[in-house]
Amino acid sequence: MRAPDLYRRQPRRTIRLDDEAYATPGQPFLVTFNLRWDAGVSLAEPPLATTAQRMFTAATEAVPCDVFVGCVMPDHVHAIVAARPGSSVVRWVQAYKSLVARDARAFGVRGLWQRRFHDRAIRQEEGVLAAALYVLDNPVRRRLVGTWQDWPLKGSLEWDLAEI
């Protein structure tokens, strides 16, 4: 007897834009990727904290992108990233997650990241600076620090954050 269509496994629905959108040079995306709920570690504590912050640069060397701001939180990472010509924000995220996971395995941590990530294209009228301030203010909203300047796990490969 054949199972009704209701019970058949449905193909996984993609949440991504077309690949060309992520490869558009200069188009910034706010990306967020989370630890697995059962990872059992915090990205904000050594030795993963140092690794997670250092990999912004390493991922950019592997997949050239502009990283306007990045913020490592205990259970997730926020970054504002724009592709350079011949590059892709999706490939940058994959490189970042892979590099952090590789180092985490050296510390005995396996199964670090959730499979997917969240993204949002930043519109010109919205502005990259407003989105960057939202990212930087994340530790304040979580009551981890009083001001975003006090959070050590942040950075920019494009801007001097002291001037913001």
Side-chain angles (χ1 to χ4, degrees):
M1 182 167 164
R2 193 173 155 201
D5 287 340
L6 177 66
Y7 299 107
R8 289 185 184 268
R9 184 178 202 124
Q10 299 296 317
R12 183 173 281 169
R13 187 176 68 99
T14 183
I15 61 171
R16 297 280 153 248
L17 298 171
D18 292 333
D19 290 341
E20 300 84 46
Y22 298 103
T24 303
Q27 170 59 59
F29 284 86
L30 168 58
V31 294
T32 304
F33 29 101
N34 299 300
L35 288 180
R36 286 174 41 141
W37 64 271
D38 60 349
V41 295
S42 170
L43 288 172
E45 295 179 15
L48 278 180
T50 305
T51 295
Q53 193 170 17
R54 191 170 34 90
M55 291 310 165
F56 286 117
T57 302
T60 301
E61 290 169 358
V63 180
C65 284
D66 297 323
V67 179
F68 295 102
V69 69
C71 184
V72 178
M73 297 294 291
D75 60 349
H76 66 280
V77 174
H78 286 296
I80 298 178
V81 183
R84 292 182 188 159
S87 186
S88 165
V89 171
V90 171
R91 288 197 331 258
W92 183 90
V93 170
Q94 291 168 340
Y96 179 89
K97 290 169 67 174
S98 175
L99 290 165
V100 174
R102 181 197 64 200
D103 278 14
R105 282 191 296 276
F107 309 132
V109 177
R110 303 220 184 292
L112 190 64
W113 299 110
Q114 290 182 9
R115 179 177 301 186
R116 297 180 179 171
F117 68 93
H118 303 280
D119 64 76
R120 184 170 62 85
I122 298 174
R123 297 181 181 94
Q124 289 296 351
E125 63 271 10
E126 182 180 3
V128 176
L129 182 57
L133 291 172
Y134 168 82
V135 167
L136 291 169
D137 209 38
N138 202 354
V140 177
R141 287 190 303 278
R142 294 270 304 262
R143 295 186 173 105
L144 298 172
V145 291
T147 66
W148 66 261
Q149 292 88 346
D150 296 334
W151 186 247
L153 302 175
K154 64 180 178 314
S156 174
L157 302 181
E158 305 304 318
W159 299 333
D160 180 359
L161 294 182
E163 295 179 6
I164 292 182

